[in-house]
Amino acid sequence: MIVDAQGAQDRIRVATALLQAAADHGVTLAIAESLTGGQVSSSLVEVPGASRVLVGTVVAYATRIKAQLLGVDAAHLERTGPVDRDVALQMADGVRRLLGADVGLATTGVAGPGPADGHPAGTVHVAVVAPWGQRHRELHLGGDRSQIRCATVMEVCEL
């Protein structure tokens, strides 16, 4: 499915709000993406001036990359798989540390079209980690693969 113009505008709106909030607070951002495959960072760089706060992104699509590059606990990954609250939080913290940013954001889950790792399509975890705290949200999204990925971008930016 091609994402409609309204969906693209909504993504840019939340990306702009996130970048403005980060700039207002003088913090930098790093992104760890799995199911979104770069859509979060792509949405952010659509906004002029994103480079003031966006340090970089890691697309950790393969489970082993989550452990090897982002420092997600390999034993935990073996037990739970990548669709997990703690995996999302560890990804966010890992990318923050790896890229030297103040705040790390992460997405992990199942975009579909079918289930994966024992979870139905639309099961998603988004997380934000900073030195002063962390937030996580578990989502159960509907729609096709493209809609799930787009909604995930919106959710992590809003978180």
Side-chain angles (χ1 to χ4, degrees), residues 41-120:
S41 59
S42 179
S43 297
L44 293 174
V45 300
E46 284 288 329
V47 180
S51 62
R52 292 180 301 148
V53 297
L54 180 61
V55 173
T57 188
V58 172
V59 177
Y61 206 62
T63 300
R64 68 178 176 81
I65 300 302
K66 291 170 180 65
Q68 292 171 354
L69 194 59
L70 298 175
V72 175
D73 182 88
H76 184 82
L77 276 167
E78 183 68 30
R79 279 191 314 277
T80 67
V83 184
D84 177 77
R85 172 192 186 275
D86 291 332
V87 170
L89 288 165
Q90 288 179 33
M91 287 174 65
D93 191 48
V95 77
R96 181 181 73 80
R97 292 175 188 275
L98 178 69
L99 300 181
D102 299 307
V103 178
L105 289 79
T107 66
T108 188
V110 183
D117 300 311
H119 301 279

Side-chain angles (χ1 to χ4, degrees), residues 35 61 109-116 119-124 141 143-146 148-149:
L35 81 149
Y61 206 62
V110 183
H119 301 279
T123 305
V124 174
L141 303 169
D144 65 19
R145 181 177 177 81
S146 181
I148 290 168
R149 293 175 70 226

